[in-house]
Amino acid sequence: MNSQVITADQKNHCILNGTYLHIPKLLNEVEINQVNFLLKSGKFDDGRLTAYSAAKDVKSNLQLNSQTQEHATIQQSILEALNRNALFRNAVLPQSIHPFIISNYKPGMHYGWHVDSPVMGNMIRTDVAITIFLNDPEDYDGGELELQTPNGNVLYKLNKGDAICYPCTQIHQVRAVTRGERNVAVSWVQSLVKETEYRKLLFEIFQITENLHKKALIGEEYLFLQQHYSNLLRMWAN
């Protein structure tokens, strides 16, 4: 399959039919600096400890120990960033978020082709995966997140602080790092709305109503759209 490369300079928020969400600067400069400072003193374990079944055979990375203070501080910082990000809230409609895994990839490390588990942690259904890039793409070669999609394979290697959200139903991999180190935070979200297409439709309606509001076009059609958005969300929410 052909590979389409999505870089940090790409401006669209919704890529590939609206099901892949690029969130620029989810973490600000202060938060990123704090995260990378904490990573220097953190204790890292073999990443295979959190892999299931066949994934253990294709996973090669390190992960920040989840019982450390460094991990707790980073986790809290990321959750606060997600909570204030309107794009994430309105597109993903999060109900539950699995604790983040903070991963480090050194030269030669990778995570081969795999599918995420449908249920994780405290019985959280995995609807949407999220990867937050914690260092600059210039810091390392390789290490792209590669997704198999109906339109061909897509590779993500974004700026530090940027995030990509994508459906957990997709086969994906992390390509081998060949120079430097790759640091990311990864998690999985149970959405209020299980179906990807339903979330996409709701987000598109929401964006239209927001644009109408910004243009002060708040007439009968605007109210009807708001009504349909609310009723569809009630119908589709878990």
Side-chain angles (χ1 to χ4, degrees):
M1 301 177 77
N2 294 328
S3 293
Q4 175 187 3
V5 180
I6 306 299
T7 69
D9 295 326
Q10 195 130 10
K11 299 302 181 184
N12 14 354
H13 286 171
C14 291
I15 301 168
L16 235 56
N17 302 322
T19 56
Y20 300 85
L21 186 74
H22 171 207
I23 308 177
K25 299 181 180 178
L26 173 66
L27 298 179
N28 61 39
E29 193 73 22
V30 172
E31 290 165 332
I32 280 291
N33 289 339
Q34 180 194 39
V35 167
N36 284 299
F37 176 78
L38 292 168
L39 290 181
K40 292 178 182 177
S41 60
K43 177 181 181 295
F44 284 81
D45 300 323
D46 188 333
R48 288 175 295 182
L49 294 175
T50 59
Y52 296 93
S53 189
K56 288 182 180 291
D57 298 329
V58 296
K59 187 174 185 180
S60 172
N61 66 4
L62 299 173
Q63 291 174 180
L64 184 63
N65 188 291
S66 62
Q67 303 304 310
T68 61
Q69 184 58 50
E70 288 90 348
H71 187 279
T73 302
I74 294 172
Q75 169 84 2
Q76 184 61 34
S77 181
I78 292 175
L79 291 177
E80 289 174 1
L82 290 173
N83 187 58
R84 69 170 181 258
N85 191 279
L87 181 60
F88 173 77
R89 293 199 312 273
N90 292 309
V92 178
L93 299 170
Q95 183 178 50
S96 300
I97 301 176
H98 187 278
F100 274 83
I101 292 176
I102 316 300
S103 298
N104 169 266
Y105 291 78
K106 299 184 187 301
M109 291 185 174
H110 66 284
Y111 196 163
W113 291 113
H114 65 284
V115 180
D116 292 330
S117 299
V119 178
M120 293 187 186
N122 190 24
M123 299 306 290
I124 293 176
R125 187 186 65 238
T126 56
D127 298 321
V128 179
I130 177 170
T131 295
I132 306 171
F133 293 80
L134 301 178
N135 58 331
D136 285 316
E138 294 80 15
D139 290 346
Y140 58 99
D141 293 334
E144 298 90 353
L145 170 65
E146 182 172 9
L147 308 176
Q148 290 186 12
T149 82
N151 296 329
N153 287 17
V154 181
L155 282 68
Y156 289 95
K157 188 174 183 179
L158 303 179
N159 280 334
K160 64 180 180 181
D162 285 13
I164 180 68
C165 299
Y166 58 94
C168 289
T169 52
Q170 307 250 274
I171 298 173
H172 58 283
Q173 72 165 343
V174 176
R175 289 186 169 186
V177 171
T178 58
R179 178 192 63 85
E181 295 187 17
R182 174 189 193 259
N183 293 318
V184 293
V186 177
S187 186
W188 300 267
V189 181
Q190 179 172 319
S191 175
L192 283 168
V193 176
K194 178 182 178 181
E195 298 294 336
T196 300
E197 287 302 311
Y198 292 174
R199 288 196 307 274
K200 174 179 177 290
L201 179 59
L202 285 167
F203 186 48
E204 288 173 350
I205 296 173
F206 176 83
Q207 288 179 304
I208 292 170
T209 58
E210 286 293 290
N211 289 335
L212 290 174
H213 186 269
K214 289 176 182 177
K215 296 176 182 177
L217 299 174
I218 309 176
E220 186 176 14
E221 293 86 355
Y222 171 82
L223 292 175
F224 277 136
L225 276 175
Q226 276 199 321
Q227 180 188 38
H228 288 316
Y229 175 86
S230 299
N231 288 339
L232 285 172
L233 182 54
R234 290 189 187 97
M235 182 187 305
W236 292 335
N238 296 326

